[in-house]
Amino acid sequence: MGGYKVNMSTLDRFEIHEHDVLVIGAGGAGLRAAIEASANGVSVGLVCKSLLGKAHTVMAEGGIAAAVGNVDKQDNWQTHFKDTMKGGKFLNNYRMAQLHAQEAPERVLELERWGALFDRTSEGTILQRPFGGHSYKRLCHVGDRTGLEMIRTLQDKGVHMGINVYMECTITRLLKEDGKISGAFGYWRETGRFVIFKAKAIILATGGVGKAYKVTSNSWEYTADGQLLAYDAGAELIDTEFIQFHPTGMIWPPGVIGILVTEAVRGEGGILRNKDGYRFMEKYDPERMELSTRDVVARSIYIENKEGRGSPHGGAFLDISHKGAEYIKKKLPSMYHQFKELADVDITTGPMEVGPTCHYSMGGVKVDADSTATSIPGLYAAGEVAGGMHGANRLGGNSLSDLLVFGRRAGLYAAEYAKKNKATLNINEDEIANAEKSIVVFFEQDGGENPYTVHRDLQELMQNKVGIFRVEDDLKFAINELKSLKERAAKVKIEGSRMYNPGWHMAYDLQSMVIYSEAIAKCALQRKESRGAHSRLDYPNTDPEHGKWNSLVKKANDGSLIVEKSPLPEMPGELKQLLEDKKVAAKI
Amino acid sequence: MNKEESQSQISSGDKKVRIATFKVYRGDREKGNEVEYKVPVEEGMVVLDAIHYIQKNISPDLAVRWNCKAAKCGSCSAEVNGKPRLMCKTRLDDFDINEEIKVYPMKSFPIIKDLACDVSWNYEVNKKITPFTPKENTTWKMNQRDIDRVQEFRKCIECFACQNVCHVIREHDLKPKFAGPRFFVRVAGLEMHPLDDVDRLEALKDDMGIGFCNITKCCTEVCPEDIHITDNAIIPLKERVVDRYYDPVRMFFRKIFKKK
Ligand code: SF4
Ligand code: SF4
Ligand code: FES
């Protein structure tokens, strides 16, 4: 593209790429955004931290929630909206929940038109299964590997659209000029060399923060990169205290702790029991039982253990064997193999042992519902990195649909923005010098610790003090501890070269995780109630007064992290009515 | 921390910790050697856990790819005792713990560093495959039994283990002319999609070199997703190519009775 002016004299030692729109992150949201931007006629670069097609979306199992009404004909967007708001304990951005429910069906059908092959109903349409918190059978799925189907479909669509894919590249800083986005700075994993992307608009689609916890289903990539890129650039974060613990992760043997056991097991009829064989969900949510929302099920398993009725390794038994071997192998093939190969358990004949695992971050970068724009001109965010859509707790299946709906919107609005902004992009050399220094410094700090040691301590702290159940003393303790972890993290020492050096990558990621952890803990302290995924032992009830605001996180001028309350946007009358209307939905 | 220290730490532990000996390839394209590491064994441990142990406690710069640790992303392929495996799915129980376990990067691709190798060629091959192109005016109704086969192909997690073992690539390095089993699986998934309307047989024959495959089935043996690469994908595709280009009569009838 013409029109760019770079001062080559000082920057010519860098590799520089130019795009109208740069998408950071290549999971479902990033890929969908890149496809949309490209379809709107702008040049698109797509940066991924891993190889293409390996992003976290690949691990999503159970399905995509969309009210296509193939199985339960009475389903519609209104019910999906209502379920989502209820699941999120009404802290959701209503407009996001509305757009999501309205547009998810079209996004799923579009995937099919691009080659995805969902399981079928007897009429030949897309099959849907029940899931926690959804009033109807709503999850379009492919056995228990829906995420793989989705990412492969988007990947194959994307590579034929002329999108430039930059694999194994990590962005460490966003560049701005006159307060507007002008590009990004990062390094290649392979060589450790730096690279500059000049871009008019940037879309963050980097996923979550699960690696801050010890027991997690999340991969090495989930280190709050995007949240911190935005925060450092001056954008706001919201609702960071809401971290979802998926009720069913593997808990035995030790090597597999945290690996996800899809909610589809319960969707297909799986039953939870404690060590006495009692179906304990009868006690905690007699109506919805195992298909209660994730926050409730996770807490129930936790309480059963606290009171001495847990399974041998500190969880619960999940049993699907009554469905018969053939059915299980057809509908839950990867679960069958996962347990057979990793735990020597045959789930067609006996129960699996499961317990909560850190899974998803409801909070994230604050965005405009329609456009996904952040408060920084030219910066957009979609998918798990963005906050608001899921409120205090996300329903299973609403993530994949979120990625598609808001990924598309991000691509669309970023492309429009880029087209309108013909301004010359200049890169500020001081900014580049700073960015460079802040990541090479780890090689030079003699006497510093191994980054993995600091990471382990961070994970212990977050798991134990800012986990499923929280209490003021623990949170205060954690906030204090995080100060010293931040200092330790800043001083870590890296051995070896810059070539493909995971220790070095961890050193950088650690900085983001520590600061985001502070945001989680501070917002958790501020919210003196229990709501959705945030459970305070000292404030066990949900307080309507606290339901009127979202937590807001900002970087103060002196660099410190501050948290505030921000009033919820006023919901229009017709949506309010919908929530009150007893006729809409509501089997559950 | 160096190796000696880590060993002494292990032996100073109270209980009887079993120790496994790993020999891991360390190096880059130009030079490299095998490095020995001692790793304490936990119940249910997989090879990737051992590699992570080494990273965290001994050599933080040990290069390795992984994402899901649940055999779903296909990132962690390596050769364990000479066999291509997903490290996150390979349990230490499968080995005699008294013997050393060798971990090497996949042999058929250029090494970047340690266990990470350059698999970019695969992405280039993929780009050249004509994407899904639906028939016009379809109602998008499909029978489950008509898509079972295609869903098998779509289970592929792109671990490239099959590419790694295929002798056409591994021994004969016919990479530019031969797409490899992973991409025959992909093409089979498109060709057998009930609603796809493109014909890729010529490309299979000419650009993808399906003729080089002599059905040794090595690819099928290593597929962690248990895809019947040869029986269900390659052989039916070869038959279609043969019908078309070497048996005009059968081709004529096939055309009349529809492609799929
Ligand atoms: S069957 Fe064909 S593709 Fe598979 S390994 Fe043998 S030669 Fe290669
Ligand atoms: S076909 Fe099997 S072995 Fe080959 S890349 Fe796919 S999953 Fe791996
Ligand atoms: S880490 Fe994903 S397949 Fe092994």
Side-chain angles (χ1 to χ4, degrees):
Chain A
M1 301 235 65
Y4 295 117
K5 207 167 69 199
V6 198
N7 181 351
M8 291 306 286
S9 59
T10 43
L11 292 174
D12 54 7
R13 61 199 176 93
F14 291 105
E15 175 185 346
I16 300 180
H17 299 276
E18 302 181 357
H19 291 286
D20 292 318
V21 174
L22 184 74
V23 183
I24 306 174
L31 275 163
R32 188 63 191 80
I35 289 169
E36 194 65 19
S38 183
N40 278 278
V42 297
S43 97
V44 179
L46 177 63
V47 178
C48 33
K49 209 168 160 183
S50 290
L51 295 173
L52 185 62
K54 311 295 183 193
H56 220 285
T57 306
V58 110
M59 296 167 64
E61 294 161 350
I64 312 179
V68 289
N70 287 347
V71 178
D72 288 331
K73 310 282 180 210
Q74 57 284 54
D75 198 11
N76 53 25
W77 78 260
Q78 287 90 344
T79 317
H80 192 182
F81 167 74
K82 197 165 169 174
D83 288 344
T84 301
M85 294 296 295
K86 269 176 99 172
K89 305 296 181 278
F90 303 101
L91 221 54
N92 323 50
N93 177 310
Y94 74 86
R95 178 68 181 153
M96 288 176 96
Q98 178 190 14
L99 290 169
H100 166 259
Q102 287 173 331
E103 294 177 4
E106 179 51 29
R107 297 283 80 75
V108 169
L109 297 177
E110 181 177 77
L111 277 189
E112 183 166 75
R113 293 196 288 271
W114 294 345
L117 274 177
F118 294 98
D119 288 355
R120 317 308 292 183
T121 63
S122 53
E123 288 141 39
T125 55
I126 296 174
L127 181 61
Q128 298 178 277
R129 63 159 54 113
F131 236 58
H134 292 281
S135 295
Y136 297 113
K137 297 193 184 76
R138 190 177 282 146
L139 268 76
C140 308
H141 62 275
V142 187
D144 52 5
R145 55 162 192 86
T146 315
L148 174 66
E149 186 70 14
M150 179 162 141
I151 209 158
R152 208 60 88 225
T153 304
L154 293 172
Q155 181 184 344
D156 289 336
K157 171 85 182 162
V159 297
H160 293 287
M161 296 188 71
I163 295 163
N164 285 285
V165 182
Y166 303 95
M167 295 200 274
E168 300 202 303
C169 179
T170 300
I171 298 296
T172 62
R173 188 166 297 205
L174 300 180
L175 307 172
K176 290 196 297 184
E177 195 189 12
D178 301 333
K180 290 197 250 171
I181 284 295
S182 61
F185 177 91
Y187 65 82
W188 294 107
R189 205 176 172 198
E190 177 175 339
T191 58
R193 290 206 186 158
F194 298 121
V195 54
I196 295 173
F197 294 93
K198 291 161 65 64
K200 295 173 187 166
I202 288 185
I203 299 170
L204 297 172
T206 50
V209 305
K211 270 288 155 193
Y213 285 83
K214 188 174 160 203
V215 177
T216 177
S217 64
N218 290 176
S219 84
W220 73 279
E221 300 188 293
Y222 266 39
T223 53
D225 308 14
Q227 288 86 340
L228 261 291
L229 287 173
Y231 169 84
D232 283 333
E236 294 164 336
L237 310 175
I238 62 166
D239 293 344
T240 52
E241 69 270 39
F242 297 106
I243 298 288
Q244 179 168 79
F245 289 84
H246 194 294
T248 61
M250 292 177 83
I251 56 172
W252 190 256
V256 304
I257 290 175
I259 296 180
L260 189 66
V261 178
T262 172
E263 185 167 333
V265 175
R266 282 171 289 138
E268 296 292 348
I271 289 169
L272 282 167
R273 292 201 168 85
N274 65 17
K275 80 171 191 333
D276 310 318
Y278 173 58
R279 191 175 176 183
F280 56 85
M281 286 310 296
E282 266 169 22
K283 196 165 62 190
Y284 301 100
D285 190 346
E287 257 179 70
R288 300 188 289 189
M289 303 286 276
E290 282 81 6
L291 289 183
S292 181
T293 49
R294 289 177 175 173
D295 51 339
V296 177
V297 181
R299 269 195 300 272
S300 308
I301 295 176
Y302 189 92
I303 294 168
E304 286 299 302
N305 278 281
K306 269 262 142 107
E307 296 177 357
R309 295 182 299 273
S311 65
H313 302 104
F317 294 109
L318 175 61
D319 195 358
I320 183 81
S321 59
H322 54 277
K323 283 286 187 173
E326 201 189 322
Y327 185 82
I328 294 168
K329 285 187 202 166
K330 170 79 193 155
K331 296 306 280 185
L332 303 163
S334 42
M335 285 307 108
Y336 172 73
H337 287 290
Q338 189 171 306
F339 274 91
K340 186 117 208 168
E341 280 150 22
L342 298 178
D344 299 319
V345 168
D346 182 350
I347 66 168
T348 66
T349 58
M352 26 200 145
E353 229 191 313
V354 295
T357 180
C358 177
H359 185 57
Y360 188 86
S361 156
M362 272 69 73
V365 182
K366 187 175 184 201
V367 291
D368 170 65
D370 288 77
S371 66
T372 79
T374 68
S375 56
I376 297 166
L379 185 63
Y380 299 78
E384 189 172 350
V385 69
M389 160 69 208
H390 305 286
N393 173 57
R394 174 173 73 77
L395 295 185
N398 270 1
S399 178
L400 292 187
S401 40
D402 168 8
L403 305 183
L404 294 171
V405 167
F406 294 103
R408 176 188 153 273
R409 283 182 164 270
L412 180 67
Y413 285 91
E416 266 182 22
Y417 173 92
K419 281 189 209 164
K420 274 189 263 160
N421 278 271
K422 298 280 179 214
T424 316
L425 299 177
N426 280 310
I427 301 290
N428 180 324
E429 289 156 37
D430 291 343
E431 218 177 336
I432 297 295
N434 272 332
E436 193 179 357
K437 187 152 169 267
S438 69
I439 38 179
V440 290
V441 65
F442 304 117
F443 287 100
E444 295 150 11
Q445 323 195 91
D446 289 333
E449 289 176 90
N450 175 345
Y452 288 102
T453 310
V454 182
H455 183 222
R456 190 194 57 215
D457 292 351
L458 171 71
Q459 289 183 314
E460 289 282 349
L461 178 74
M462 293 305 285
Q463 188 77 30
N464 297 329
K465 304 292 180 192
V466 199
I468 297 191
F469 281 103
R470 298 153 179 188
V471 61
E472 181 158 324
D473 287 348
D474 283 357
L475 293 172
K476 285 189 171 154
F477 175 84
I479 290 166
N480 204 35
E481 245 348 72
L482 281 165
K483 275 188 216 145
S484 75
L485 278 167
K486 194 169 162 185
E487 281 164 26
R488 287 169 60 195
K491 284 195 224 129
V492 294
K493 162 79 177 156
I494 298 307
E495 307 288 344
S497 76
R498 270 161 59 181
M499 254 189 89
Y500 218 116
N501 186 339
W504 181 39
H505 309 155
M506 167 56 79
Y508 178 74
D509 292 345
L510 190 57
Q511 317 300 319
S512 307
M513 275 188 282
V514 170
I515 295 173
Y516 199 84
S517 296
E518 185 185 342
I520 298 173
K522 283 190 170 166
C523 286
L525 182 66
Q526 176 180 243
R527 188 168 286 283
K528 294 184 171 31
E529 64 160 349
S530 291
R531 182 182 293 270
H534 171 69
S535 306
R536 289 279 300 254
L537 289 171
D538 41 357
Y539 298 96
N541 300 320
T542 303
D543 178 347
E545 281 308 306
H546 288 64
K548 294 179 180 159
W549 52 271
N550 294 109
S551 315
L552 195 71
V553 180
K554 288 191 219 175
K555 190 173 188 175
N557 288 338
D558 65 355
S560 64
L561 182 147
I562 46 175
V563 303
E564 290 169 3
K565 298 173 182 176
S566 148
L568 283 192
E570 181 72 24
M571 202 184 304
E574 76 256 24
L575 290 182
K576 267 193 204 151
Q577 247 174 18
L578 203 65
L579 291 182
E580 278 147 27
D581 189 345
K582 295 263 184 302
K583 283 194 296 271
V584 177
K587 261 208 308 213
I588 296 178
Chain B
M1 196 194 320
N2 66 34
K3 212 167 60 196
E4 282 67 40
E5 276 167 1
S6 85
Q7 258 173 284
S8 64
Q9 257 193 9
I10 294 161
S11 53
S12 72
D14 44 350
K15 280 173 268 137
K16 284 171 249 125
V17 186
R18 287 190 306 150
I19 305 290
T21 305
F22 279 82
K23 291 257 171 93
V24 182
Y25 178 84
R26 299 296 313 266
D28 54 27
R29 227 161 273 196
E30 270 104 58
K31 53 179 185 348
N33 58 311
E34 222 173 67
V35 178
E36 185 179 303
Y37 298 99
K38 300 278 185 192
V39 177
V41 179
E42 271 192 336
E43 194 172 342
M45 196 164 176
V46 294
V47 172
L48 185 61
D49 291 321
I51 298 296
H52 281 164
Y53 176 89
I54 297 167
Q55 248 183 6
K56 284 179 189 160
N57 299 284
I58 310 168
S59 293
D61 64 342
L62 169 59
V64 62
R65 284 201 185 97
W66 71 282
N67 282 285
C68 67
K69 207 179 167 301
K72 290 189 169 63
C73 74
S75 300
C76 65
S77 312
E79 298 193 4
V80 184
N81 285 352
K83 287 217 183 81
R85 311 283 294 259
L86 292 178
M87 285 186 278
C88 69
K89 204 179 144 174
T90 306
R91 288 176 57 166
L92 297 195
D93 310 357
D94 296 353
F95 304 96
D96 179 352
I97 221 71
N98 300 312
E99 307 210 338
E100 54 194 41
I101 300 170
K102 291 193 184 225
V103 189
Y104 271 69
M106 285 193 282
K107 188 182 155 202
S108 299
F109 304 108
I111 291 176
I112 293 174
K113 190 182 143 196
D114 307 337
L115 301 176
C117 48
D118 180 358
V119 292
S120 56
W121 167 71
N122 294 285
Y123 288 87
E124 294 307 314
V125 176
N126 191 38
K127 268 191 210 160
K128 292 190 204 122
I129 298 173
T130 311
F132 174 70
T133 312
K135 293 177 177 159
E136 270 174 44
N137 304 323
T138 167
T139 57
W140 297 100
K141 296 239 164 110
M142 288 174 261
N143 262 321
Q144 183 62 44
R145 62 168 185 283
D146 295 336
I147 63 166
D148 277 342
R149 177 59 54 84
V150 182
Q151 285 186 327
E152 178 192 353
F153 302 142
R154 295 186 66 91
K155 285 196 308 190
C156 169
I157 56 174
E158 299 206 320
C159 68
F160 305 128
C162 55
Q163 305 285 82
N164 181 37
V165 291
C166 176
H167 69 101
V168 184
I169 299 169
R170 197 177 175 104
E171 267 105 54
H172 308 290
D173 199 15
L174 286 173
K175 265 177 211 146
K177 290 189 218 143
F178 181 71
R182 188 292 172 250
F183 296 100
F184 298 139
V185 166
R186 168 140 167 72
V187 170
L190 291 161
E191 285 290 296
M192 297 180 204
H193 190 304
L195 300 179
D196 178 71
D197 206 24
V198 171
D199 186 310
R200 298 171 188 79
L201 294 190
E202 194 179 325
L204 268 177
K205 179 167 85 67
D206 298 339
D207 310 335
M208 303 181 74
I210 196 170
F212 288 115
C213 162
N214 55 345
I215 323 194
T216 58
K217 300 202 180 185
C218 313
C219 50
T220 306
E221 274 163 33
V222 298
C223 177
E225 286 292 305
D226 295 320
I227 300 170
H228 297 89
I229 304 175
T230 26
D231 289 355
N232 291 351
I234 297 180
I235 293 174
L237 287 178
K238 273 178 168 279
E239 280 172 2
R240 288 179 184 205
V241 170
V242 169
D243 281 4
R244 160 81 55 86
Y245 295 98
Y246 310 99
D247 189 346
V249 181
R250 277 178 67 185
M251 184 52 211
F252 175 73
F253 282 105
R254 286 226 175 184
K255 236 185 193 156
I256 288 176
F257 297 112
K258 227 165 112 246
K259 189 182 99 190
K260 315 230 168 201

